[in-house]
């Protein structure tokens, strides 16, 4: 019998400031959409997903007006926790937790799986070997291990 792998919701925002036009606005639509209470707004935004309760239905992702929630396979544990498209100083001013497009992740990836596109880090899950080198080298802590092994998520 083949075991079905369940996808999980992943929020692409670490929070930090509602002045970031790309980040979570704390509207709670994702929470209202989840029938299993697997996503919650704790201490404002961004929402936190309970990985044990989440079944990967995608209702929260569909409800998010900022398009910050993605349903991913749990094997792809290295994820970018930012959706900001501003670069450098503008990104820093918008949010203390934003990607500044420095490119350190890109230069340190042994699998050529991460690239800075539109001023933010983007990981190609087909190439990523989940070594976590990008997460370790990221000076802003934007790249996270969603399992919490290398970085607290």
């Amino acid at each position: 019998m083949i075991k079905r792998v369940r996808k999980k919701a992943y929020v692409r925002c670490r929070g930090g400031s509602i002045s970031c036009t790309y980040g979570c606005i704390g509207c709670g639509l994702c929470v209202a959409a989840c029938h299993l209470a697997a996503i919650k707004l704790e201490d404002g935004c961004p929402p936190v997903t309970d990985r044990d309760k989440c079944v990967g239905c995608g209702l929260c992702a569909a409800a998010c007006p900022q398009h910050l929630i993605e349903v991913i396979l749990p094997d792809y544990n290295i994820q970018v926790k930012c959706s900001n498209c501003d670069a450098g100083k503008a990104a820093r001013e918008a949010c203390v937790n934003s990607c500044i497009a420095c490119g350190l992740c890109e230069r340190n990836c042994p699998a050529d799986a991460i690239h800075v596109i539109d001023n933010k880090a983007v990981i190609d899950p087909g190439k990523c070997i989940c070594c976590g080198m990008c997460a370790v080298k990221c000076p802003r802590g934007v790249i996270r291990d969603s399992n919490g092994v290398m970085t607290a998520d």
Side-chain angles (χ1 to χ4, degrees), residues 29-96:
L29 291 174
C30 56
V31 176
C34 183
H35 301 295
L36 300 174
I39 191 162
K40 295 179 180 174
L41 278 173
E42 296 175 356
D43 301 323
C45 56
V48 176
T49 305
D50 183 331
R51 294 171 59 87
D52 293 329
K53 289 182 181 178
C54 181
V55 295
C57 68
L59 291 174
C60 58
C64 180
Q66 295 290 86
H67 309 290
L68 295 175
I69 304 172
E70 183 178 354
V71 180
I72 60 170
L73 288 169
D75 292 347
Y76 300 131
N77 60 309
I78 305 298
Q79 296 293 323
V80 178
K81 197 99 168 146
C82 181
S83 295
N84 192 330
C85 292
D86 295 332
K89 183 179 178 187
R92 276 191 295 278
E93 289 174 355
C95 179
V96 297

